[in-house]
């Protein structure tokens, strides 16, 4: 099956092949991301209207939608242009009026003749003491009343698409929807008591009460699961494709690792030991490693990275550690250097700054195997950079790295093991959605000796007190960060805020004691300002959020975040993580401008009450939604139509497990269930993954 299966053709035809949709109206549907019948299938109603017939409007509480049988008693044509045409009607107990604007009287006399009975359904309102229904949604002869659904689903709309048109298009799509073979694991389906796919789709579009619209109804659960399963199947296929490429078994001798352990002033945490063991097991196999190391701020990822790199060196290979910026690359170098020396390992850095003879010498040493571990930026992937025997690539802070780039990285032709590190704790469901093709190690313990950071909320009206507090702390030799607010979407506006604050603080503390870094600075100036702060020459660093990731200054023990209520939870947590790295007790002052909105209050209180990044990330997900937590634009996060990452975390884990089991039993998807799963992949527009099946 190389192309789309024929059974799905009707769902991928033009929208104008549906009842009631012409070439012109089909364009309007694009406003709700519907370009073919298949998209309508997965555009479910979000609410509904009860249209069960009542005998009278007597007990109705207006405004409300009501359906009643009435007798037409009189017509009152519009007295002047722009005035409404009114029709008096009686139900079993009450009289009210039907109101029409810009209606033709001959049409109304024919549709609603005096003395006849009709069933009307629409919104009942009271205007000037008179009950009225303006432009009823339905007016039908009594014998046709059953054409009005007892409960009418309400769909998302866009300009040019009415509920009527939507209902007609959906009905037309459902009438051409084929019965598809079951791709779900039978035992799972029985255990969850989920309907067949076709029945689930029909039920989801035909709710009978408000309860049927809930995400936890069997039909919607099943459809959400299908979406997650297709996504996880794609990731599992990507994982299999990566693993098919022969790896090299890299087995360490523990000789160099033992030297580092002996030099450590503390024992690694249980979480670090577990991660190191998982990584060394992966590396010892002849399958390429593709692992994510997820650790909270200060959980000790650097040590795990070093131990992994040492396994490579012990086995006679080389390792590379890539960071997104030069500042971070240099910091990794400083962090690793003393321990690498203990182990007697040659560690070198390569960035865009290396030019001419110096660069040539490094490249020669690298290609001859005289450099064991290389630290660098993306510069390490330029054509002329050749390794003697590269076994392990560690990518730091690449939550901006999608599945595609990870596959490309593996295609450097060598059987390189890949370890991706992130300091951004990601809620479980998002980690599975974004990194489901990888195996995950989590560092969820803090190394001994890391003191908790005291967090306090301070109103901006107490700015002077905060500045006095800094004055005293700096006199004792302590260093501090002052992070300025995100004023607008543009770095340029944020810059003004940072520059103003910098001038104000420099005037107070004197020239030379206060530094400034922001995103608009040339990299060399930024590095210079950071270097002065790291060396302790400047005591206070005023910054925009450029310092959010990775900067390590153990002596800095105070973090002031101005207008903290504007920042996101994850960002505040990352910023706070810049302090508490040394021996001194650290504080984080979150300055807010009163009054605080309810959500801002919840955010700041969450931070004050916990330092656990995973707890914080779950609250963040619940408050902001999945797209925003990772930033949809660069997240590689799939867009689901039915599944909801906040609510369906459990389903996502189930889907991942199921997808991996299916592929282990049927790697080419050739069994009956495998072929059904291929149809699902086509249905969910995951054609790319179909190609992965034929790879290798």
């Amino acid at each position: 099956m190389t192309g789309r299966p024929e059974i799905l053709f009707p769902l991928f035809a033009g929208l104008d092949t549906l009842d009631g949709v012409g070439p012109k109206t089909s364009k309007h549907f694009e406003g709700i991301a519907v370009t073919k019948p298949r998209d309508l299938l997965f555009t479910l109603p979000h609410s509904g209207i009860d249209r069960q017939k009542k005998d009278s409007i007597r007990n109705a509480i207006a405004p409300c939608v009501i359906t009643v049988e009435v007798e037409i008693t009189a017509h009152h044509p519009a007295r002047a242009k722009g005035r409404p045409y009114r029709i008096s009607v009686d139900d079993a107990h009450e009289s009210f009026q039907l109101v029409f604007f810009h209606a033709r009287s001959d049409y109304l006399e024919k549709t609603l003749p005096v003395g006849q009975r009709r069933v009307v359904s629409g919104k009942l309102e009271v205007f000037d003491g008179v009950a009225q229904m303006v432009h009823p949604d339905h007016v039908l002869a009594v014998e046709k009343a059953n054409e009005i659904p007892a409960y009418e689903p309400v769909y998302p709309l866009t300009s040019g698409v009415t509920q009527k048109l939507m209902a007609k298009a959906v009905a037309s799509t459902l009438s051409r929807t084929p019965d598809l073979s079951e791709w779900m694991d039978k035992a799972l389906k029985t255990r969850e008591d989920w309907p067949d796919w076709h029945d689930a789709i029909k039920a989801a579009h035909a709710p009978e009460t408000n309860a049927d619209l809930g995400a936890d109804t069997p039909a919607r659960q099943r459809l959400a699961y299908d979406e997650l399963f297709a996504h996880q199947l794609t990731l599992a296929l990507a994982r299999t494709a990566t693993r098919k490429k022969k790896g090299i078994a890299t087995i360490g001798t523990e000789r160099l690792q033992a030297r580092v352990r002996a030099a450590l002033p503390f024992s690694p945490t249980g979480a670090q030991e577990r991660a190191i063991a998982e990584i060394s097991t992966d590396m010892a196999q002849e399958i390429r490693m593709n692992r994510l190391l997820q650790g909270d701020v200060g959980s000790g990822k650097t040590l795990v990275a070093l131990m992994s790199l040492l396994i490579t060196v012990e086995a006679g290979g080389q390792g590379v550690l890539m960071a997104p910026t030069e500042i971070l690359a240099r910091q990794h170098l400083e962090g690793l250097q003393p321990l690498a020396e203990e182990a007697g390992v040659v560690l070198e850095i390569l960035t865009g700054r290396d030019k001419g003879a110096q660069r040539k010498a490094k490249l020669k040493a690298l290609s001859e195997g005289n450099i064991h571990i290389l630290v660098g930026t993306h510069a390490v992937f330029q054509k002329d950079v050749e390794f003697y025997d590269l076994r392990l690539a560690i990518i730091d802070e690449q939550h901006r790295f999608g599945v595609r780039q990870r596959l490309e990285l593996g295609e450097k032709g060598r059987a390189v093991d890949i370890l991706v590190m992130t300091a951004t704790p990601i809620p479980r469901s998002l980690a599975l959605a974004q990194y489901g093709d990888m195996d995950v190690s989590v560092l969820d313990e803090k190394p001994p000796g890391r003191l908790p950071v005291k967090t306090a909320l301070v109103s901006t009206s107490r700015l002077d007190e905060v500045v006095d507090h800094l004055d005293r702390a700096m006199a004792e030799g302590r260093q501090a960060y002052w992070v300025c607010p995100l004023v607008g979407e543009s770095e340029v506006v944020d810059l003004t805020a940072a520059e103003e604050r910098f001038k104000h603080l420099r005037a107070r503390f004197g020239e030379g004691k206060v530094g400034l870094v922001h995103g608009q600075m040339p990299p060399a100036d930024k590095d210079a300002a950071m270097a002065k702060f790291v060396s302790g020459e400047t005591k206070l660093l005023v910054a925009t959020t450029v310092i959010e990731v990775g900067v390590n200054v153990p002596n800095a023990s105070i973090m002031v975040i101005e207008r903290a209520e504007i920042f996101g939870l994850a960002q505040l947590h990352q910023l706070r993580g810049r302090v508490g790295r040394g021996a001194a007790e650290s504080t984080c002052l979150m300055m807010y401008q009163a009054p605080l909105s309810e959500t801002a209050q919840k955010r700041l209180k969450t931070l004050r009450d916990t330092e656990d990044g995973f707890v914080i990330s779950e609250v963040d997900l619940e408050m902001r939604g999945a797209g925003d937590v990772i930033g949809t634009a660069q997240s590689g996060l799939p867009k689901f139509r039915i599944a909801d990452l906040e609510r369906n975390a459990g389903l996502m884990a189930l889907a991942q497990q199921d997808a991996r089991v299916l592929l282990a039993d049927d790697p080419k998807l050739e069994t009956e269930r495998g072929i059904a799963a291929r149809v699902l992949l086509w249905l969910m527009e995951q054609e790319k993954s179909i190609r992965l099946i034929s790879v290798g």
Side-chain angles (χ1 to χ4, degrees), residues 252 256-257 260 305-315 343 345 373:
L256 303 174
Q257 296 174 68
V260 169
L306 176 67
M307 291 302 203
S308 312
L309 291 161
L310 290 179
I311 294 172
T312 310
V313 182
E314 289 169 355
V345 168
I373 296 172

Side-chain angles (χ1 to χ4, degrees), residues 29-322:
F29 278 93
E30 288 170 14
I32 42 174
V34 169
T35 57
K36 49 196 166 308
R38 172 239 171 242
D39 302 335
L40 278 173
L41 270 192
F42 299 113
T43 305
L44 300 185
H46 56 73
S47 60
I49 300 168
D50 181 359
R51 292 200 190 269
Q52 285 189 63
K53 205 168 128 201
K54 306 278 189 286
D55 64 345
S56 172
I57 64 165
R58 177 174 282 180
N59 298 318
I61 300 166
C64 65
V65 171
I66 192 159
T67 306
V68 285
E69 186 179 322
V70 296
E71 183 180 325
I72 294 99
T73 56
H75 278 241
H76 315 281
R79 286 197 295 278
K81 203 172 180 231
R83 304 291 294 158
Y85 189 114
R86 298 175 178 275
I87 299 176
S88 297
V89 296
D90 289 347
D91 64 24
H93 302 291
E94 301 284 343
S95 303
F96 61 100
Q97 290 187 335
L98 305 180
V99 179
F100 297 88
F101 288 90
H102 317 297
R104 295 199 331 271
S105 50
D106 56 342
Y107 167 75
L108 290 177
E109 280 162 10
K110 206 166 88 200
T111 318
L112 293 150
V114 174
Q116 295 263 328
R117 300 187 74 76
R118 292 285 183 269
V119 173
V120 294
S121 182
K123 190 174 186 184
L124 184 75
E125 293 169 296
V126 176
F127 186 68
D128 276 350
V130 179
Q132 57 180 37
M133 192 182 280
V134 180
H135 289 278
D137 304 320
H138 301 272
V139 175
L140 291 170
V142 177
E143 61 275 13
K144 289 192 168 174
N146 59 358
E147 287 178 21
I148 302 176
Y151 185 84
E152 186 176 32
V154 174
Y155 289 93
L157 300 179
T158 178
S159 115
V161 178
T162 60
Q163 282 301 342
K164 234 175 199 147
L165 174 59
M166 193 71 181
K168 202 166 188 179
V170 168
S172 180
T173 302
L174 288 171
S175 71
R176 63 165 69 178
T177 299
D179 244 332
L180 301 175
S181 302
E182 187 56 81
W183 48 76
M184 192 179 282
D185 174 54
K186 283 197 178 70
L188 171 69
K189 187 167 173 274
T190 310
R191 188 185 83 210
E192 297 294 336
D193 198 14
W194 282 337
D196 288 345
W197 178 77
H198 197 267
D199 293 342
I201 278 283
K202 282 202 311 215
H205 283 283
E208 291 177 7
T209 64
N210 282 340
D212 296 339
L213 299 163
D216 45 8
T217 59
R220 289 205 182 208
Q221 283 266 309
R222 149 101 219 207
L223 297 174
Y225 181 80
D226 290 337
E227 219 173 1
L228 298 174
F229 179 60
H231 172 64
Q232 285 297 335
L233 204 47
T234 299
L235 291 175
L237 283 162
R239 177 172 181 259
T240 309
T242 310
R243 295 173 75 121
K244 266 193 197 138
K245 297 180 182 139
K246 282 301 264 188
I248 294 173
T250 300
I251 301 166
T253 59
E254 301 210 358
R255 189 172 58 85
L256 303 174
Q257 296 174 68
R259 287 187 194 168
V260 169
R261 283 175 185 275
L264 288 175
F266 53 82
S267 301
T269 64
Q272 283 174 315
E273 293 289 18
R274 193 170 60 238
I276 294 165
E278 287 167 347
I279 291 164
S280 68
T281 305
D282 278 4
M283 290 173 70
Q285 292 176 34
E286 288 187 6
I287 297 170
R288 286 194 185 185
M289 172 168 77
N290 191 23
R291 186 171 279 280
L292 173 71
L293 177 64
Q294 205 189 341
D296 201 352
V297 181
S299 56
K301 288 185 299 298
T302 311
L303 179 66
V304 176
L306 176 67
M307 291 302 203
S308 312
L309 291 161
L310 290 179
I311 294 172
T312 310
V313 182
E314 289 169 355
Q318 291 165 297
V320 62
L321 171 56
M322 266 174 66

Side-chain angles (χ1 to χ4, degrees), residues 242 279 289-295 301-302 304-306 308-309 319-325 328-329 332 374-378 380-381 390-412 416-424 435 437-438 549:
T242 310
I279 291 164
M289 172 168 77
N290 191 23
R291 186 171 279 280
L292 173 71
L293 177 64
Q294 205 189 341
K301 288 185 299 298
T302 311
V304 176
L306 176 67
S308 312
L309 291 161
V320 62
L321 171 56
M322 266 174 66
T325 65
L328 287 177
H332 276 306
L374 184 68
V375 175
T377 53
H378 316 295
V380 301
F381 278 117
L390 178 64
R391 301 277 188 95
L392 172 66
I394 300 183
I395 304 156
D396 188 29
E397 271 316 324
Q398 283 295 359
H399 45 276
R400 313 234 177 329
F401 223 62
V403 179
R404 196 183 69 247
Q405 289 101 320
R406 292 201 289 274
L407 284 170
E408 278 167 16
L409 181 67
E411 274 156 20
K412 286 304 276 184
V416 181
D417 284 327
I418 292 177
L419 181 66
V420 173
M421 299 199 298
T422 173
T424 314
Y435 298 109
D437 59 320
M438 309 184 82
V549 174

